[in-house]
Amino acid sequence: MEYSKVNGYTISKLSLGTVALGLDYGISNAEGRPSREKSFSILSTALSMGINTIDTARNYGDAELLVGSFLDQDKDHSATNLVTKFEIDSETLLNKNKAREHAYNSIRSSCSNLKIKQVPVCLFHKGKDQPVDLVLEVLPSILQDLKDDGLIDLAGVSVYYPDEVERFLDVPIVAGMQVPLNIFDQRLISNGMLQRLDLEKKFVFVRSVFLQGLFFMQPSALQGRLSDARPYLEALHDLAVRAGMSIAELAFSYVKDLKGVTSIVFGATTEQQVIENVNLLNSKSIPLNVKQAIEDLFKIMPEHIITPGVWKL
């Protein structure tokens, strides 16, 4: 396992995302979330393979409770890095006192669920329709207060849209971000923000490497507006063949080789999926001609394909 040093933390190159352990999640996940016993096995397998960072959130069903219960009984991994998130709706953000109270209640609940006294990495999960200006009026002081009161250590923001990253770059309390980035969604690269994040030594957790499983679907199986993704998926399959790689290897290698990526957040509903994702760290680099084709073909993509939050299935 590879690791990155960030603000005193050692972060594994892979972080286990737990949304699929707390909710039915993922466009290609037909089986639903695993049982508690299977979820514990998934967590145990991840930690035994060197993954030391777990990503969860208050709105991931009972994922926080599950992670807290697992770590409580697995004392060998009590030092695992935990990343969790909280939300504040736009109406509450209009009242700074209510927003602060809401944030404190949420973080205290997370600490209780996770059985910890302080959240190591706390991210504000910005809503996809929330105005950035409204968030910036309220959030920095709330994050600073939470840190000063010892409820959180590192603070950051999870964004839906890469063009929002620049607005948070100069906020001192924001130590890093969680962002979408994959073969189809290259906006963070083309707008220069990944390079800026790296230069400013911000941590970067990347999610949606497989676009929530869209990459693994058969083009002919897509319905509704997502049927617009068919030609892009077909092109992706062709590029994987040209590279002599599987779709997973191609998609994973594209992100893992990018400078500035602290950790890739992946989800799993079986132990085997954990093993497969760890093995992807050893995937070969993408041939230069294929990488150039990827950048040419997918540099500009329709919003309704690359942003799962607006999918209408």
Side-chain angles (χ1 to χ4, degrees), residues 18-296:
T18 60
V19 61
L21 304 185
L23 296 169
D24 291 335
Y25 178 82
I27 189 172
S28 64
N29 176 18
E31 299 180 2
R33 63 177 174 145
S35 66
R36 177 184 175 89
E37 181 180 5
K38 288 183 178 179
S39 293
F40 275 25
S41 295
I42 290 167
L43 288 161
S44 180
T45 299
L47 297 179
S48 70
M49 297 192 74
I51 294 171
N52 70 358
T53 305
I54 297 175
D55 176 271
T56 189
R58 287 273 289 124
N59 67 338
Y60 289 178
D62 59 2
E64 279 189 344
L65 282 167
L66 189 146
V67 170
S69 296
F70 170 78
L71 292 176
D72 189 50
Q73 73 171 33
D74 186 356
K75 302 302 183 184
D76 290 341
H77 293 106
S78 58
T80 299
N81 302 317
L82 295 176
V83 181
T84 196
K85 312 173 196 72
F86 70 98
E87 299 178 347
I88 304 175
D89 64 67
S90 295
E91 183 176 352
T92 303
L93 280 172
L94 293 171
N95 185 311
K96 292 184 179 181
N97 290 332
K98 286 185 178 180
R100 186 179 187 278
E101 180 182 6
H102 180 89
Y104 268 72
N105 289 339
S106 183
I107 299 305
R108 288 186 176 119
S109 293
S110 290
C111 287
S112 177
N113 291 340
L114 294 167
K115 304 184 188 304
I116 54 178
K117 293 182 179 179
Q118 181 188 65
V119 175
V121 182
C122 177
L123 305 179
F124 171 71
H125 195 165
K126 183 191 170 297
K128 63 184 177 68
D129 297 320
Q130 284 184 316
V132 177
D133 289 338
L134 177 61
V135 172
L136 285 171
E137 286 182 14
V138 180
L139 182 66
S141 62
I142 291 176
L143 291 176
Q144 189 63 60
D145 287 346
L146 287 166
K147 183 176 177 66
D148 291 345
D149 289 340
L151 285 172
I152 69 173
D153 190 9
L154 297 184
V157 180
S158 174
V159 298
Y160 265 95
Y161 305 108
D163 60 2
E164 296 173 337
V165 168
E166 186 172 16
R167 302 295 305 280
F168 294 99
L169 263 174
D170 296 326
V171 180
I173 189 63
V174 175
M177 300 186 199
Q178 185 179 114
V179 295
L181 177 60
N182 54 66
I183 283 179
F184 280 4
D185 188 353
Q186 303 174 23
R187 292 173 293 179
L188 202 67
I189 301 168
S190 59
N191 68 10
M193 287 303 104
L194 183 61
Q195 184 179 23
R196 283 277 308 278
L197 286 163
D198 182 48
L199 289 173
E200 304 212 10
K201 301 188 185 308
K202 305 282 188 179
F203 65 76
V204 177
F205 288 96
V206 170
R207 66 175 186 272
S208 293
V209 171
F210 303 127
L211 201 49
Q212 292 193 14
L214 178 65
F215 290 170
F216 303 128
M217 296 192 69
Q218 290 300 317
S220 60
L222 298 177
Q223 299 179 351
R225 292 192 73 198
L226 267 185
S227 61
D228 293 345
R230 288 175 186 170
Y232 298 107
L233 277 184
E234 290 167 353
L236 183 63
H237 288 202
D238 290 342
L239 289 172
V241 172
R242 282 176 57 185
M245 305 169 78
S246 67
I247 292 290
E249 289 171 333
L250 188 70
F252 200 90
S253 291
Y254 181 76
V255 175
K256 79 178 180 68
D257 291 338
L258 292 171
K259 190 174 186 297
V261 174
T262 304
S263 189
I264 297 171
V265 182
F266 75 97
T269 55
T270 66
E271 294 173 67
Q272 184 59 33
Q273 288 174 357
V274 174
I275 295 169
E276 290 170 354
N277 276 276
V278 172
N279 288 338
L280 286 174
L281 279 177
N282 298 318
S283 298
K284 67 179 183 179
S285 296
I286 300 171
L288 290 178
N289 64 324
V290 175
K291 188 172 182 181
Q292 185 61 55
I294 287 171
E295 293 170 355
D296 292 341

